PDB file of all heavy atoms in Angstrom:
ATOM      1  N   LEU A 137      76.105 141.783-150.808  1.00  0.00           N
ATOM      2  CA  LEU A 137      75.463 141.653-149.499  1.00  0.00           C
ATOM      3  C   LEU A 137      75.380 140.181-149.094  1.00  0.00           C
ATOM      4  O   LEU A 137      75.641 139.834-147.934  1.00  0.00           O
ATOM      5  CB  LEU A 137      74.069 142.284-149.543  1.00  0.00           C
ATOM      6  CG  LEU A 137      73.224 142.144-148.277  1.00  0.00           C
ATOM      7  CD1 LEU A 137      73.893 142.838-147.100  1.00  0.00           C
ATOM      8  CD2 LEU A 137      71.827 142.710-148.500  1.00  0.00           C
ATOM      9  N   HIS A 140      78.828 139.055-148.064  1.00  0.00           N
ATOM     10  CA  HIS A 140      79.267 139.668-146.809  1.00  0.00           C
ATOM     11  C   HIS A 140      78.539 139.067-145.607  1.00  0.00           C
ATOM     12  O   HIS A 140      79.131 138.880-144.540  1.00  0.00           O
ATOM     13  CB  HIS A 140      79.029 141.178-146.863  1.00  0.00           C
ATOM     14  CG  HIS A 140      79.655 141.931-145.733  1.00  0.00           C
ATOM     15  ND1 HIS A 140      81.001 141.907-145.473  1.00  0.00           N
ATOM     16  CD2 HIS A 140      79.101 142.723-144.774  1.00  0.00           C
ATOM     17  CE1 HIS A 140      81.264 142.660-144.418  1.00  0.00           C
ATOM     18  NE2 HIS A 140      80.125 143.153-143.966  1.00  0.00           N
ATOM     19  N   LEU A 141      77.273 138.727-145.762  1.00  0.00           N
ATOM     20  CA  LEU A 141      76.527 138.109-144.671  1.00  0.00           C
ATOM     21  C   LEU A 141      77.053 136.713-144.350  1.00  0.00           C
ATOM     22  O   LEU A 141      76.988 136.260-143.207  1.00  0.00           O
ATOM     23  CB  LEU A 141      75.036 138.041-145.021  1.00  0.00           C
ATOM     24  CG  LEU A 141      74.271 139.362-145.018  1.00  0.00           C
ATOM     25  CD1 LEU A 141      72.837 139.156-145.481  1.00  0.00           C
ATOM     26  CD2 LEU A 141      74.293 139.998-143.637  1.00  0.00           C
ATOM     27  N   ARG A 144      80.872 137.694-142.490  1.00  0.00           N
ATOM     28  CA  ARG A 144      81.133 138.571-141.361  1.00  0.00           C
ATOM     29  C   ARG A 144      80.110 138.598-140.232  1.00  0.00           C
ATOM     30  O   ARG A 144      80.370 139.243-139.227  1.00  0.00           O
ATOM     31  CB  ARG A 144      81.264 140.012-141.876  1.00  0.00           C
ATOM     32  CG  ARG A 144      82.385 140.224-142.841  1.00  0.00           C
ATOM     33  CD  ARG A 144      83.726 140.125-142.183  1.00  0.00           C
ATOM     34  NE  ARG A 144      83.891 141.150-141.168  1.00  0.00           N
ATOM     35  CZ  ARG A 144      84.977 141.273-140.402  1.00  0.00           C
ATOM     36  NH1 ARG A 144      85.956 140.411-140.534  1.00  0.00           N
ATOM     37  NH2 ARG A 144      85.053 142.232-139.505  1.00  0.00           N
ATOM     38  N   PRO A 145      78.943 138.006-140.301  1.00  0.00           N
ATOM     39  CA  PRO A 145      77.924 138.317-139.297  1.00  0.00           C
ATOM     40  C   PRO A 145      78.272 137.869-137.883  1.00  0.00           C
ATOM     41  O   PRO A 145      77.820 138.463-136.918  1.00  0.00           O
ATOM     42  CB  PRO A 145      76.685 137.578-139.813  1.00  0.00           C
ATOM     43  CG  PRO A 145      77.232 136.457-140.633  1.00  0.00           C
ATOM     44  CD  PRO A 145      78.478 136.978-141.240  1.00  0.00           C
ATOM     45  N   ASN A 146      79.076 136.789-137.726  1.00  0.00           N
ATOM     46  CA  ASN A 146      79.327 136.267-136.382  1.00  0.00           C
ATOM     47  C   ASN A 146      80.194 137.190-135.544  1.00  0.00           C
ATOM     48  O   ASN A 146      80.149 137.134-134.321  1.00  0.00           O
ATOM     49  CB  ASN A 146      80.003 134.895-136.493  1.00  0.00           C
ATOM     50  CG  ASN A 146      79.085 133.867-137.133  1.00  0.00           C
ATOM     51  OD1 ASN A 146      77.876 133.960-137.006  1.00  0.00           O
ATOM     52  ND2 ASN A 146      79.672 132.905-137.842  1.00  0.00           N
ATOM     53  N   GLY A 147      81.009 138.004-136.155  1.00  0.00           N
ATOM     54  CA  GLY A 147      81.899 138.864-135.392  1.00  0.00           C
ATOM     55  C   GLY A 147      81.330 140.223-135.066  1.00  0.00           C
ATOM     56  O   GLY A 147      82.052 141.106-134.621  1.00  0.00           O
ATOM     57  N   LYS A 148      80.025 140.413-135.258  1.00  0.00           N
ATOM     58  CA  LYS A 148      79.434 141.727-135.048  1.00  0.00           C
ATOM     59  C   LYS A 148      78.483 141.697-133.865  1.00  0.00           C
ATOM     60  O   LYS A 148      77.982 140.646-133.478  1.00  0.00           O
ATOM     61  CB  LYS A 148      78.696 142.188-136.307  1.00  0.00           C
ATOM     62  CG  LYS A 148      79.642 142.412-137.475  1.00  0.00           C
ATOM     63  CD  LYS A 148      78.927 143.049-138.625  1.00  0.00           C
ATOM     64  CE  LYS A 148      79.929 143.432-139.691  1.00  0.00           C
ATOM     65  NZ  LYS A 148      80.870 144.442-139.233  1.00  0.00           N
ATOM     66  N   ASN A 149      78.252 142.910-133.307  1.00  0.00           N
ATOM     67  CA  ASN A 149      77.293 142.973-132.219  1.00  0.00           C
ATOM     68  C   ASN A 149      75.868 142.885-132.770  1.00  0.00           C
ATOM     69  O   ASN A 149      75.648 142.844-133.977  1.00  0.00           O
ATOM     70  CB  ASN A 149      77.494 144.251-131.407  1.00  0.00           C
ATOM     71  CG  ASN A 149      77.348 145.506-132.258  1.00  0.00           C
ATOM     72  OD1 ASN A 149      76.483 145.574-133.115  1.00  0.00           O
ATOM     73  ND2 ASN A 149      78.198 146.488-132.023  1.00  0.00           N
ATOM     74  N   VAL A 150      74.922 142.860-131.861  1.00  0.00           N
ATOM     75  CA  VAL A 150      73.538 142.613-132.254  1.00  0.00           C
ATOM     76  C   VAL A 150      73.008 143.723-133.150  1.00  0.00           C
ATOM     77  O   VAL A 150      72.350 143.464-134.173  1.00  0.00           O
ATOM     78  CB  VAL A 150      72.665 142.458-130.998  1.00  0.00           C
ATOM     79  CG1 VAL A 150      71.204 142.265-131.389  1.00  0.00           C
ATOM     80  CG2 VAL A 150      73.146 141.286-130.161  1.00  0.00           C
ATOM     81  N   MET A 151      73.317 144.997-132.824  1.00  0.00           N
ATOM     82  CA  MET A 151      72.784 146.113-133.601  1.00  0.00           C
ATOM     83  C   MET A 151      73.359 146.147-135.013  1.00  0.00           C
ATOM     84  O   MET A 151      72.647 146.377-135.985  1.00  0.00           O
ATOM     85  CB  MET A 151      73.070 147.426-132.885  1.00  0.00           C
ATOM     86  CG  MET A 151      72.354 147.573-131.556  1.00  0.00           C
ATOM     87  SD  MET A 151      70.549 147.460-131.744  1.00  0.00           S
ATOM     88  CE  MET A 151      70.249 148.874-132.780  1.00  0.00           C
ATOM     89  N   GLN A 152      74.665 145.910-135.139  1.00  0.00           N
ATOM     90  CA  GLN A 152      75.284 145.916-136.460  1.00  0.00           C
ATOM     91  C   GLN A 152      74.772 144.761-137.318  1.00  0.00           C
ATOM     92  O   GLN A 152      74.531 144.903-138.523  1.00  0.00           O
ATOM     93  CB  GLN A 152      76.803 145.830-136.324  1.00  0.00           C
ATOM     94  CG  GLN A 152      77.446 147.097-135.794  1.00  0.00           C
ATOM     95  CD  GLN A 152      78.950 146.956-135.650  1.00  0.00           C
ATOM     96  OE1 GLN A 152      79.455 145.855-135.495  1.00  0.00           O
ATOM     97  NE2 GLN A 152      79.655 148.066-135.682  1.00  0.00           N
ATOM     98  N   LYS A 153      74.589 143.593-136.683  1.00  0.00           N
ATOM     99  CA  LYS A 153      74.077 142.448-137.424  1.00  0.00           C
ATOM    100  C   LYS A 153      72.641 142.705-137.884  1.00  0.00           C
ATOM    101  O   LYS A 153      72.266 142.379-139.015  1.00  0.00           O
ATOM    102  CB  LYS A 153      74.143 141.199-136.543  1.00  0.00           C
ATOM    103  CG  LYS A 153      73.805 139.909-137.284  1.00  0.00           C
ATOM    104  CD  LYS A 153      73.822 138.715-136.348  1.00  0.00           C
ATOM    105  CE  LYS A 153      75.198 138.518-135.751  1.00  0.00           C
ATOM    106  NZ  LYS A 153      75.239 137.268-134.935  1.00  0.00           N
ATOM    107  N   LYS A 154      71.831 143.320-137.019  1.00  0.00           N
ATOM    108  CA  LYS A 154      70.453 143.636-137.377  1.00  0.00           C
ATOM    109  C   LYS A 154      70.405 144.640-138.515  1.00  0.00           C
ATOM    110  O   LYS A 154      69.579 144.532-139.432  1.00  0.00           O
ATOM    111  CB  LYS A 154      69.726 144.186-136.153  1.00  0.00           C
ATOM    112  CG  LYS A 154      68.265 144.496-136.382  1.00  0.00           C
ATOM    113  CD  LYS A 154      67.603 145.009-135.114  1.00  0.00           C
ATOM    114  CE  LYS A 154      66.139 145.351-135.348  1.00  0.00           C
ATOM    115  NZ  LYS A 154      65.510 145.876-134.101  1.00  0.00           N
ATOM    116  N   GLU A 155      71.321 145.613-138.488  1.00  0.00           N
ATOM    117  CA  GLU A 155      71.364 146.608-139.564  1.00  0.00           C
ATOM    118  C   GLU A 155      71.770 145.977-140.890  1.00  0.00           C
ATOM    119  O   GLU A 155      71.239 146.324-141.954  1.00  0.00           O
ATOM    120  CB  GLU A 155      72.355 147.717-139.189  1.00  0.00           C
ATOM    121  CG  GLU A 155      72.146 149.016-139.942  1.00  0.00           C
ATOM    122  CD  GLU A 155      70.919 149.762-139.466  1.00  0.00           C
ATOM    123  OE1 GLU A 155      70.454 149.509-138.340  1.00  0.00           O
ATOM    124  OE2 GLU A 155      70.425 150.606-140.234  1.00  0.00           O
ATOM    125  N   LEU A 156      72.703 145.035-140.838  1.00  0.00           N
ATOM    126  CA  LEU A 156      73.115 144.356-142.070  1.00  0.00           C
ATOM    127  C   LEU A 156      71.975 143.542-142.662  1.00  0.00           C
ATOM    128  O   LEU A 156      71.721 143.588-143.873  1.00  0.00           O
ATOM    129  CB  LEU A 156      74.311 143.453-141.772  1.00  0.00           C
ATOM    130  CG  LEU A 156      75.708 144.039-142.001  1.00  0.00           C
ATOM    131  CD1 LEU A 156      76.767 143.020-141.631  1.00  0.00           C
ATOM    132  CD2 LEU A 156      75.892 144.494-143.435  1.00  0.00           C
ATOM    133  N   TYR A 157      71.270 142.783-141.823  1.00  0.00           N
ATOM    134  CA  TYR A 157      70.179 141.959-142.330  1.00  0.00           C
ATOM    135  C   TYR A 157      69.008 142.815-142.829  1.00  0.00           C
ATOM    136  O   TYR A 157      68.241 142.373-143.687  1.00  0.00           O
ATOM    137  CB  TYR A 157      69.700 140.993-141.255  1.00  0.00           C
ATOM    138  CG  TYR A 157      70.567 139.757-141.137  1.00  0.00           C
ATOM    139  CD1 TYR A 157      71.543 139.656-140.158  1.00  0.00           C
ATOM    140  CD2 TYR A 157      70.417 138.705-142.033  1.00  0.00           C
ATOM    141  CE1 TYR A 157      72.356 138.533-140.056  1.00  0.00           C
ATOM    142  CE2 TYR A 157      71.219 137.571-141.943  1.00  0.00           C
ATOM    143  CZ  TYR A 157      72.187 137.495-140.959  1.00  0.00           C
ATOM    144  OH  TYR A 157      72.983 136.382-140.878  1.00  0.00           O
ATOM    145  N   SER A 158      68.868 144.026-142.298  1.00  0.00           N
ATOM    146  CA  SER A 158      67.791 144.909-142.770  1.00  0.00           C
ATOM    147  C   SER A 158      68.008 145.379-144.202  1.00  0.00           C
ATOM    148  O   SER A 158      67.072 145.829-144.862  1.00  0.00           O
ATOM    149  CB  SER A 158      67.659 146.121-141.841  1.00  0.00           C
ATOM    150  OG  SER A 158      68.781 146.988-141.970  1.00  0.00           O
ATOM    151  N   LEU A 159      69.257 145.290-144.694  1.00  0.00           N
ATOM    152  CA  LEU A 159      69.549 145.719-146.059  1.00  0.00           C
ATOM    153  C   LEU A 159      68.902 144.812-147.095  1.00  0.00           C
ATOM    154  O   LEU A 159      68.886 145.146-148.279  1.00  0.00           O
ATOM    155  CB  LEU A 159      71.067 145.776-146.279  1.00  0.00           C
ATOM    156  CG  LEU A 159      71.839 146.816-145.459  1.00  0.00           C
ATOM    157  CD1 LEU A 159      73.319 146.733-145.769  1.00  0.00           C
ATOM    158  CD2 LEU A 159      71.316 148.212-145.736  1.00  0.00           C
ATOM    159  N   THR A 168      69.875 153.906-143.809  1.00  0.00           N
ATOM    160  CA  THR A 168      70.312 153.176-142.628  1.00  0.00           C
ATOM    161  C   THR A 168      70.978 154.139-141.654  1.00  0.00           C
ATOM    162  O   THR A 168      71.622 155.101-142.060  1.00  0.00           O
ATOM    163  CB  THR A 168      71.289 152.060-143.008  1.00  0.00           C
ATOM    164  OG1 THR A 168      72.422 152.638-143.677  1.00  0.00           O
ATOM    165  CG2 THR A 168      70.616 151.064-143.932  1.00  0.00           C
ATOM    166  N   GLN A 169      70.838 153.843-140.367  1.00  0.00           N
ATOM    167  CA  GLN A 169      71.334 154.750-139.343  1.00  0.00           C
ATOM    168  C   GLN A 169      72.639 154.280-138.711  1.00  0.00           C
ATOM    169  O   GLN A 169      73.509 155.081-138.394  1.00  0.00           O
ATOM    170  CB  GLN A 169      70.276 154.918-138.238  1.00  0.00           C
ATOM    171  CG  GLN A 169      68.963 155.508-138.727  1.00  0.00           C
ATOM    172  CD  GLN A 169      69.104 156.945-139.158  1.00  0.00           C
ATOM    173  OE1 GLN A 169      69.950 157.681-138.652  1.00  0.00           O
ATOM    174  NE2 GLN A 169      68.275 157.370-140.096  1.00  0.00           N
ATOM    175  N   LYS A 170      72.792 152.987-138.493  1.00  0.00           N
ATOM    176  CA  LYS A 170      73.908 152.481-137.695  1.00  0.00           C
ATOM    177  C   LYS A 170      74.828 151.567-138.487  1.00  0.00           C
ATOM    178  O   LYS A 170      75.519 150.730-137.917  1.00  0.00           O
ATOM    179  CB  LYS A 170      73.369 151.745-136.470  1.00  0.00           C
ATOM    180  CG  LYS A 170      72.517 152.611-135.567  1.00  0.00           C
ATOM    181  CD  LYS A 170      71.956 151.833-134.406  1.00  0.00           C
ATOM    182  CE  LYS A 170      71.070 152.725-133.533  1.00  0.00           C
ATOM    183  NZ  LYS A 170      70.465 151.988-132.409  1.00  0.00           N
ATOM    184  N   LEU A 171      74.847 151.698-139.792  1.00  0.00           N
ATOM    185  CA  LEU A 171      75.721 150.878-140.619  1.00  0.00           C
ATOM    186  C   LEU A 171      77.126 151.470-140.612  1.00  0.00           C
ATOM    187  O   LEU A 171      77.318 152.665-140.873  1.00  0.00           O
ATOM    188  CB  LEU A 171      75.181 150.815-142.048  1.00  0.00           C
ATOM    189  CG  LEU A 171      75.845 149.801-142.979  1.00  0.00           C
ATOM    190  CD1 LEU A 171      75.546 148.384-142.523  1.00  0.00           C
ATOM    191  CD2 LEU A 171      75.373 150.011-144.411  1.00  0.00           C
ATOM    192  N   SER A 172      78.108 150.666-140.298  1.00  0.00           N
ATOM    193  CA  SER A 172      79.486 151.151-140.229  1.00  0.00           C
ATOM    194  C   SER A 172      80.018 151.424-141.627  1.00  0.00           C
ATOM    195  O   SER A 172      79.522 150.886-142.630  1.00  0.00           O
ATOM    196  CB  SER A 172      80.376 150.125-139.526  1.00  0.00           C
ATOM    197  OG  SER A 172      80.454 148.932-140.287  1.00  0.00           O
ATOM    198  N   SER A 173      81.053 152.251-141.695  1.00  0.00           N
ATOM    199  CA  SER A 173      81.654 152.571-142.995  1.00  0.00           C
ATOM    200  C   SER A 173      82.291 151.329-143.621  1.00  0.00           C
ATOM    201  O   SER A 173      82.316 151.187-144.847  1.00  0.00           O
ATOM    202  CB  SER A 173      82.697 153.674-142.820  1.00  0.00           C
ATOM    203  OG  SER A 173      83.694 153.286-141.889  1.00  0.00           O
ATOM    204  N   PHE A 174      82.797 150.409-142.784  1.00  0.00           N
ATOM    205  CA  PHE A 174      83.384 149.173-143.310  1.00  0.00           C
ATOM    206  C   PHE A 174      82.315 148.330-144.012  1.00  0.00           C
ATOM    207  O   PHE A 174      82.508 147.860-145.138  1.00  0.00           O
ATOM    208  CB  PHE A 174      84.016 148.380-142.163  1.00  0.00           C
ATOM    209  CG  PHE A 174      84.535 147.031-142.571  1.00  0.00           C
ATOM    210  CD1 PHE A 174      85.778 146.909-143.166  1.00  0.00           C
ATOM    211  CD2 PHE A 174      83.781 145.883-142.363  1.00  0.00           C
ATOM    212  CE1 PHE A 174      86.260 145.657-143.556  1.00  0.00           C
ATOM    213  CE2 PHE A 174      84.249 144.639-142.742  1.00  0.00           C
ATOM    214  CZ  PHE A 174      85.495 144.527-143.346  1.00  0.00           C
ATOM    215  N   ASP A 175      81.168 148.137-143.346  1.00  0.00           N
ATOM    216  CA  ASP A 175      80.085 147.361-143.954  1.00  0.00           C
ATOM    217  C   ASP A 175      79.536 148.052-145.190  1.00  0.00           C
ATOM    218  O   ASP A 175      79.201 147.396-146.188  1.00  0.00           O
ATOM    219  CB  ASP A 175      78.968 147.133-142.939  1.00  0.00           C
ATOM    220  CG  ASP A 175      79.379 146.178-141.832  1.00  0.00           C
ATOM    221  OD1 ASP A 175      80.244 145.332-142.086  1.00  0.00           O
ATOM    222  OD2 ASP A 175      78.862 146.303-140.706  1.00  0.00           O
ATOM    223  N   ARG A 176      79.445 149.363-145.130  1.00  0.00           N
ATOM    224  CA  ARG A 176      78.909 150.115-146.281  1.00  0.00           C
ATOM    225  C   ARG A 176      79.784 149.920-147.510  1.00  0.00           C
ATOM    226  O   ARG A 176      79.290 149.743-148.625  1.00  0.00           O
ATOM    227  CB  ARG A 176      78.810 151.592-145.911  1.00  0.00           C
ATOM    228  CG  ARG A 176      78.157 152.455-146.972  1.00  0.00           C
ATOM    229  CD  ARG A 176      78.228 153.913-146.589  1.00  0.00           C
ATOM    230  NE  ARG A 176      77.604 154.749-147.579  1.00  0.00           N
ATOM    231  CZ  ARG A 176      76.411 155.311-147.459  1.00  0.00           C
ATOM    232  NH1 ARG A 176      75.703 155.112-146.363  1.00  0.00           N
ATOM    233  NH2 ARG A 176      75.921 156.067-148.416  1.00  0.00           N
ATOM    234  N   VAL A 179      79.247 146.293-149.078  1.00  0.00           N
ATOM    235  CA  VAL A 179      77.963 145.870-149.653  1.00  0.00           C
ATOM    236  C   VAL A 179      77.444 146.815-150.723  1.00  0.00           C
ATOM    237  O   VAL A 179      76.422 146.530-151.349  1.00  0.00           O
ATOM    238  CB  VAL A 179      76.896 145.722-148.541  1.00  0.00           C
ATOM    239  CG1 VAL A 179      77.339 144.724-147.498  1.00  0.00           C
ATOM    240  CG2 VAL A 179      76.566 147.064-147.892  1.00  0.00           C
TER     241      VAL A 179
END
Side-chain angles (χ1 to χ4, degrees):
L137 176 62
H140 190 59
L141 288 176
R144 299 290 298 178
N146 295 331
K148 295 188 172 296
N149 59 40
V150 177
M151 295 301 297
Q152 288 179 335
K153 188 183 298 185
K154 183 179 179 181
E155 200 73 21
L156 266 179
Y157 279 99
S158 70
L159 295 179
T168 59
Q169 299 292 331
K170 300 177 182 178
L171 190 67
S172 65
S173 57
F174 175 82
D175 290 333
R176 185 186 180 104
V179 302

